[in-house]
Amino acid sequence: MPPPADTVKVAIEWPGAFPKLMEIDQKKPLSAIIKEVCEGWSLGNHENFALQIADATNFYITEKNRNDIKNGSILRLTTSPYQTAIQLHERIQSSSMDAKLESLKDLANASRDITFAQEFINLDGISLLTLMVESGTERYQKLQKIMKPCFGDLLSFTLTAFVELMDHGIVSWDTFSVAFIKKIASYVNKSAMDTAVLQRSLAILESMVLNSQDLYHKVAQEITIGQLIPHLQGTDQDIQTYTIAVINALFLKAPEEKRQEMAHILAQKQLRSIILSNVIRSSTPINDEMAHQLYVLQVLTFNLLEDRMMTKMDPQDQAQRDIIFELRRIAFDVECEPNNSGSIEKRKSMYTRDYKKLGFINHVNPAVDFTQIPPGMLALDNMLYFARHHQDAYIRIVLENSSREDKHECPFGRSSIELTKMLCEILKVGELPSENCHDFHPMFFTHDRSFEEFFCICIQLLNKTWKEMRATSEDFNKVMQVVREQIMRALTLKPNSLDQFKSRLQNLSYTEILKIRQSERMNQEDFQSRPILELREKIQPEIMELIKQQRLNRLCDGTCFRKISSRRRQDKFWYCRLSPNHKVLHYGDLEESPQGEVPHDSLQDKLPVADIKAVITGKDCPHMKEKGALKQNKEVLELAFSVLYESDEYLNFIAPDKHEYCVWTDGLNALLGKEMTSDYTKSDMDTLLSMEMKLRLLDLENIQIPEAPPPIPKEPSNYDFVYDCN
C-alpha cells in the first residue's frame, strides 16, 4: 500500500480577497505555512494569524489535528486563538449593549474549539463570565421591560459560552461560588424565563450535580422538585429532557438515606403522572435523549427496591412475622383465635398445615424462607401487596393449589420468592444506569406501584403456566424458565400499559412458547444421531473459516469509534481499519461520523499486526481503569477492548455496539491465530451450520436415519449373474 501523501491541495480564504489555491507540505511546521500564506497577501506579524476549517465548526488547525486536512479542503486565514481570546475578553466588557451582545455571540461560537477555549480560560475568562452572571447583568435588569429580548439573548449567549468552555474539562466544577449557583437556580425557578436561558441553566445544574458531590449539596439547597415540575408541563421536549436530567442527577447523587425521602416527594408532586401525560403520551415523538433520561429515571426508581431486596427477615421480629400471619388470615379467612383455644401443639399443627398450603418451603417457620438475599423482604412485600390489592386472585391461587395432589400443587410462597428474584434480575435492580441505553418501558409510568403490579400479573401468569405444563414440584425450574421467556418476550413488545402487558402474556401461552421455540431452532431430536453429528463435525471447520474471512473483511472495511466523554458536548470520532493484506491497522481521528468509506491515506497512524501481543477485554483494559465510578457501568465494560503492542503500549477501543465489539475482538484474535470466542461467532456458527445441514439433508426428508450404518451383505454363493457385456 502506498504511504500517506505528505502534500495536500487546499483553498485558503481571506476576507476581501480571492481565495488562494496552494499545496501544504505536511512536513513543514505549521507556523512556516501560515507565514507563507500571510506573505502572499502582504500581511505582517504572521504569529498573530492562524488557519481555521471554513465550515460551521470554525475549528483551528493545530499541529495535533493538521493531518485531518484533506485534499480539496477549504481553510480560512484568521486571527490566532490567543489574539481572538484577548479581543473577545475586552469586547464582552464593553459598555455598549450592542457590542456586548455581538461579542458574546461570537464567544459562544468560538468556545466550541478547544484551542480557543484554552487561551480564553488562561485569561481567566471563566471567572469573568461567572462574575457577569452573578452581578454584571444586574445593571441590565431595569432594562428588561423595554429590552427583554435583548436581555434574554445577552444572558443566553453568556451561559452558552460558559457551558461550551466547561465542556472541555479544563476547569474543575468545584471552583464555583454559592452566589453563582443561586443565580443559575433563580433562572430555573422563575416561571417566565427565556427558553434558551432556562435550557442552559438546567444543563449547568445537571453538570454541577454530576461532577461534584459538594456542588450537589449546594444545588439541592437551591432547587426543589416543586420548582422543576412546572417545566415538564410545557410542550418543549428539550426543556422537559433537561428537567428530567436534573431530577435524575439529584436522585443519583443523593445519599442513600435521602433517596427514599426524595422518592416520596416525587410521588407527592405526581411526577410519574405528569411525565405520562406530558411526555410519554404527548403528540411529540420521543427522541433518543428523552428516551435515555426516562430509562435512567426508571432504573433509579427501581433501585429504591434494593434496600428491601438485600434485607433478610429476622425470624424473631414479631412485626415481620405478623405479615405472614396476615397472609394466612386473608387466604383462609381465619379469625384470631384466643390464647386459650386448644393446646399449643394443636395450634402449631394447624399453622404448619396452613403454611404448607401457602407453599412455603419451611412449613414450621416460614420466616426462614425470607433470609435468602436477594430477594429478601421484597418478596414478602410483594406477597402482601398481592393478597391485599388482588384478594380474589390471591385466594383463588392458594385454595386452588391446596386442593390439588401434593405433587401437582404450585407452591405460592416458593414461587413468589423465586419470581421476585427473577423480576429483579430482569429489571436489573441495584445496577447503575447504562450510559447509552434508551430502553424505558412506558407501562412502568402508568402506576405508582408499578413493580408490585408487575409482580401481581406475573405471579398469576406463573400459576397459569404451571397448570398448562401440568408441572410437578420436580419441574419447578423448568416452569420458571418458561415464565422468564414469556415475560421477556412480552416486554420486548414495549406495551403501553400494564393491561396491555397482561393481554400480551395471554397470547404467550406455554403452547405458543413451544411453537416459537420450534420455529427458532432446529429440531434437536432429528440432529442427535451419530451420522448427523459426524457430518456436523466435518462441516464445522469450513464454516469457521468462512466466519473468519467475514470478520477480516469487516475489519478491512473499518469502523468509526466514538471517543467516550463524561461531558455533554459534540461527539468526537476516530476510525480504524485493517489493510487489505491483513498486515497493518490504520487509524486516525475524525471530526464527524463518516458517511461513506474512509480512505487509507486519510488515516495517518498505523500499527503493524506483527507488533500486536495480545487483545484485552472488559475491566482489564487500561482505559476502563481510568474511568470514574459512574462510567464503570456494565454496558461500557462489555464494549471495551484494547490492543497491547510494543512495551506496554495500548490502542484502546470502545465499540459502538455489541455487534461491532464481537466483530473486532473476533477479527483481532483471528489475526493472532487465536480462537474466536464471541457470542456472535457462536450465533453465526449455529445459523450457518443449521442452513448447511438442512441443505445437505434435503434429499433425506421423511427418511429415518439409522443410528449405525447398515451391515454389508454377505457375498453371494456364486457369481453366475455376472456376464460379459462384450
Side-chain angles (χ1 to χ4, degrees), residues 435-465:
E435 189 182 56
N436 302 312
C437 187
H438 310 118
D439 188 27
F440 84 97
H441 293 277
M443 73 176 191
F444 291 129
F445 290 85
T446 61
H447 201 284
D448 289 327
R449 303 287 294 275
S450 59
F451 184 80
E452 289 88 342
E453 289 291 329
F454 185 43
F455 168 83
C456 294
I457 294 170
C458 293
I459 192 65
Q460 294 176 74
L461 167 74
L462 193 153
N463 189 64
K464 174 174 172 283
T465 302

Side-chain angles (χ1 to χ4, degrees), residues 289-304:
E289 185 57 33
M290 173 60 87
H292 173 68
Q293 294 302 336
L294 291 173
Y295 153 77
V296 172
L297 181 60
Q298 173 185 294
V299 171
L300 295 176
T301 303
F302 284 140
N303 281 357
L304 294 170

Side-chain angles (χ1 to χ4, degrees), residues 8-14 18-22 24 41 51-59 61 68-77:
V8 288
K9 297 179 180 180
V10 299
I12 300 179
E13 299 176 340
W14 172 251
F18 286 108
K20 179 181 292 187
L21 298 175
M22 68 176 292
I24 292 180
W41 273 309
L51 291 173
Q52 277 181 331
I53 299 289
D55 59 12
T57 62
N58 291 329
F59 285 167
I61 302 297
D68 294 339
I69 302 174
K70 298 178 178 62
N71 279 318
S73 296
I74 301 175
L75 309 182
R76 181 186 299 118
L77 184 66

Side-chain angles (χ1 to χ4, degrees), residues 572-640:
K572 295 289 184 181
F573 302 92
W574 69 288
Y575 201 87
C576 187
R577 67 188 302 178
L578 179 67
S579 62
N581 61 7
H582 299 171
K583 291 186 177 180
V584 181
L585 285 176
H586 296 268
Y587 61 96
D589 291 341
L590 300 175
E591 285 299 325
E592 57 185 19
S593 183
Q595 299 302 312
E597 184 177 322
V598 177
H600 283 282
D601 55 9
S602 67
L603 305 174
Q604 301 298 321
D605 300 307
K606 59 184 180 180
L607 170 62
V609 172
D611 292 348
I612 298 176
K613 294 181 178 179
V615 178
I616 302 166
T617 60
K619 62 183 179 182
D620 296 327
C621 297
H623 58 314
M624 286 295 100
K625 295 175 183 177
E626 296 168 2
K627 289 190 172 294
L630 183 62
K631 299 297 174 191
Q632 288 280 18
N633 60 66
K634 186 176 179 182
E635 183 167 313
V636 173
L637 282 172
E638 287 179 349
L639 299 178

